[in-house]
Amino acid sequence: MTFNDSLELLSFHWVAYSVYSALIISVVAWFGYNLTKQEKAKSLIRIPFYSFIGFLVVAGVGHHIFTYNTVPWVAQDINRHDMTPDKVYHINVKKHVFILPTEKMVINCKEQVLFDVTSEDLVYGFGLFRKDNTMVMQMQVNPGSKNDILWTFNQNGIYDLMSTEYSGPKGNAMFVKDAVEVVGCQNISEKNGGVK
C-alpha cells in the first residue's frame, strides 16, 4: 500500500486513529469506573488492564513502523543526501512578501523538486495548498538557517502558496495564487481507458 498524496494518507490515518482513540478512551473509562467502586480491584483484574495497555503501545508503535514506508515523502526525506533534485527553486521571503524565481513554477509529474526558501527578516511558513484549501505540504522558514524541502508531485494541479506561520498581522496577506502548476500526470480515467 502506497499513498500518492497527503489526502489519501489522511483518510487512511483518520480510520486508524479513530479506532485507536476509541480503544484508549475505553481504557480511561475502565480505569475511571474502577476508581468509583468501593472495593479495590483484585490483582487478577489488573492483569487484563496492563495487558490492554501493552497492546495499545505495541499497536500504536507498530502502526507507525509498518506504515512509514507507505508515505512517499518519508523515504525520500531519509535518503535525500543520495538524491539530486530534478528542479531547484530558490525563493526569498522579506517584509511579508514571497519573491519567486518565476511567476508560476511549472513542475512535471514525478519530478523531484527542491524548494530552497530563505527568510531575510522573520519566521515565515511555506505551504502549498489545493484549491479546496487542503494542504499539500509545508515547512517553517527561519531567518539565518537552511530551509528546504524535497517534494515529488504525483497529481496534476494548480496550487496556491501561503505562509503557514504567524508573522504578525501582515502575514495574513502572504498569499500567492496559482504559484505552482503540476502537469503530465495521468489521471484515473486515462489509466482505466477512459472509464472512471
Side-chain angles (χ1 to χ4, degrees):
M1 164 186 356
T2 56
F3 300 101
N4 286 324
D5 77 357
S6 55
L7 284 181
E8 291 177 9
L9 176 68
L10 183 62
S11 63
F12 169 76
H13 279 300
W14 185 88
V15 171
Y17 286 133
S18 294
V19 170
Y20 191 70
S21 297
L23 290 172
I24 290 173
I25 290 167
S26 70
V27 168
V28 172
W30 183 10
F31 184 76
Y33 171 73
N34 281 317
L35 286 177
T36 63
K37 294 172 77 175
Q38 290 289 340
E39 59 186 61
K40 297 227 177 194
K42 297 178 183 167
S43 55
L44 205 73
I45 295 173
R46 291 182 184 161
I47 292 171
F49 177 78
Y50 290 116
S51 299
F52 193 51
I53 295 293
F55 166 76
L56 288 175
V57 169
V58 169
V61 173
H63 171 76
H64 290 284
I65 289 172
F66 292 117
T67 60
Y68 92 97
N69 264 339
T70 64
V71 181
W73 52 89
V74 170
Q76 181 171 283
D77 204 40
I78 290 172
N79 300 315
R80 68 182 289 180
H81 62 279
D82 294 329
M83 298 178 176
T84 303
D86 299 308
K87 286 186 179 172
V88 177
Y89 289 109
H90 298 284
I91 300 163
N92 287 332
V93 191
K94 181 168 73 170
K95 296 182 181 177
H96 297 94
V97 175
F98 289 106
I99 304 162
L100 303 178
T102 60
E103 187 177 333
K104 181 185 283 187
M105 296 174 273
V106 179
I107 299 166
N108 293 317
C109 188
K110 307 280 186 196
E111 278 187 327
Q112 290 179 343
V113 180
L114 182 75
F115 295 100
D116 183 13
V117 188
T118 304
S119 168
E120 296 188 20
D121 49 14
L122 301 171
V123 174
Y124 298 105
F126 178 84
L128 291 181
F129 290 80
R130 296 174 191 88
K131 292 302 178 183
D132 64 358
N133 292 323
T134 56
M135 186 169 22
V136 177
M137 57 86 147
Q138 70 91 30
M139 71 171 166
Q140 190 177 56
V141 180
N142 295 303
S145 65
K146 186 168 181 58
N147 311 286
D148 62 18
I149 186 166
L150 184 65
W151 202 261
T152 303
F153 293 90
N154 296 304
Q155 293 181 345
N156 291 335
I158 298 176
Y159 305 105
D160 300 326
L161 171 60
M162 289 187 255
S163 178
T164 53
E165 294 288 334
Y166 180 73
S167 57
K170 291 181 180 177
N172 292 335
M174 293 182 67
F175 176 82
V176 181
K177 185 174 175 58
D178 303 338
V180 171
E181 181 175 8
V182 179
V183 296
C185 295
Q186 191 178 29
N187 65 33
I188 293 170
S189 64
E190 289 171 351
K191 284 180 186 176
N192 296 331
V195 179
K196 286 187 180 180

